[in-house]
Each structure stands twice: as structure tokens, then as C-alpha cells.
Amino acid sequence: MSQDSHDATPKGPLRPPELVTPLTLFFNPDVLSASCLQESIKAVAFSGAAGLAAGAGSGWWLHLPTDLVLRNTWKKGGVFAALGGLLYGSTCYAAQIRGKDDPINAGIAGAVTGLAVGMRGGTVTKMFFHSGVLGGVLLFSDWAVRRHKVTYRGIDAVREERDKGFFGWKRRDPYAERWAEIKEHDAAAGA
């Protein structure tokens, strides 16, 4: 390996490599150009599988009878599938209608999904409560994740950014200060 490859400094802000997770392989990361129906169907399949696993796992954990475990497993799988498809489909449609991919889409999707969750409760109050809470939680969580992705540029860049402003003064080096004291002492003793 040549010495030049070590001296090369990257141009522009440092960004972590894009993470390849099962979700990024499964879903289209660009919701503005994605087919919302296709993405919703994928979300139904993915969420349904997660719901089946959650139902079976909870039944196993609680030592329920097999027939009850099977009923609850299919029930949870269906609920997870419906809510997951609704959530991701609402996110995709909100992004395409608004023409922007930002946290507000997640808030809209959370509100729509919260309405569906609240409908299971049976009252209008529960519908609007779940809509507001789920919309707010998803809006905040999507904002936080996006903020972290944008601001994360590597630990060195974070330290440089942190050291500006309040921490912008010259850092104290106790070893250099002590060395200067020793030199001063030696100079005064030798003179």
C-alpha cells in the first residue's frame, strides 16, 4: 500500500457507509419514486411475519394451550400486517402527495394508523387519542433518526464540531506546561 493512500483526506462532510439491513433490501428507500401499493404489500408481508412470530413467542412464553396459541398467533399476525401495511402505505402516499420525504410523512402515517388502532377501541375519543399519540411519537422518532443520519460524520468530525464555540479555547496541555516550568527552572538555576 502506498503512502499516498494514507495522506488522502476526504472531500466534503464525512458520512457513514449506508447500512444494508434486511429492511433496506426489502423496501425501496426512495419513497418518492416507489410504488406505494407494492411497498404496502411488502409491509403487510413483513409485518404479518413479525406478528406471527410475536404471537407464537408470547404464547410459548405464557405456556398457553396450543389451540389458544394458534388463534392468538393468527390474530396478532393479521393485526400487525394490517397496521404495518397501513403505516408504510400512508408514509409513502404522504411523501408522494406532498412531494417531500421528511418526518412529517411519518407523523401523518402515525396519525392515520392511530385512527385505525383507535377504531378498535370503539370511541371517537380513543381514535383521536391514538392518532395524536402515534402521530407524535412517529414524527419525533423519524425526526431524531434523520437528524442523527445528517449530523453523523464520524467521531473526528463530531469532536471538531464540539470543540467550536464554548469549547473553542486552546486545550490545556499539562505535560507541555510542566515541561515549560522545568525549562524555566533549569534556565533560572543555570544562569
Side-chain angles (χ1 to χ4, degrees):
M1 188 177 263
S2 69
Q3 181 66 19
D4 295 336
S5 65
H6 292 293
D7 295 336
T9 56
K11 304 288 187 240
L14 299 174
R15 299 226 187 269
E18 289 298 321
L19 296 175
V20 178
T21 64
L23 289 179
T24 56
L25 293 174
F26 197 64
F27 294 108
N28 185 352
D30 183 19
V31 295
L32 293 175
S33 66
S35 165
C36 291
L37 180 61
Q38 187 177 12
E39 295 299 308
S40 296
I41 292 170
K42 289 180 194 178
V44 165
F46 190 81
S47 301
L52 290 173
S58 65
W60 171 78
W61 184 262
L62 297 173
H63 303 291
L64 298 175
T66 305
D67 61 330
L68 187 59
V69 170
L70 290 175
R71 271 195 315 244
N72 286 341
T73 297
W74 289 110
K75 188 176 179 181
K76 284 186 182 180
V79 169
F80 272 55
L83 293 179
L86 183 62
L87 180 70
Y88 201 78
S90 299
T91 303
C92 184
Y93 281 119
Q96 289 185 0
I97 289 169
R98 293 181 64 241
K100 293 189 231 175
D101 184 16
D102 61 2
I104 294 174
N105 300 329
I108 293 169
V112 170
T113 307
L115 282 172
V117 169
M119 277 192 244
R120 294 189 73 201
T123 65
V124 175
T125 307
K126 287 183 181 178
M127 286 173 51
F128 286 113
F129 173 77
H130 285 93
S131 178
V133 169
L134 193 55
V137 166
L138 288 178
L139 175 72
F140 175 76
S141 61
D142 194 76
W143 170 81
V145 167
R146 288 172 191 259
R147 178 176 163 82
H148 177 71
K149 279 184 180 179
V150 169
T151 59
Y152 179 75
R153 292 172 292 167
I155 192 67
D156 294 330
V158 170
R159 285 182 181 145
E160 287 175 14
E161 183 92 12
R162 178 196 66 198
D163 291 343
K164 292 178 184 172
F166 182 73
F167 294 106
W169 62 76
K170 185 178 177 186
R171 285 193 175 170
R172 183 174 170 253
D173 186 0
Y175 298 107
E177 291 172 8
R178 180 66 180 140
W179 185 248
E181 287 175 14
I182 291 170
K183 282 184 176 180
E184 208 175 277
H185 183 268
D186 288 345

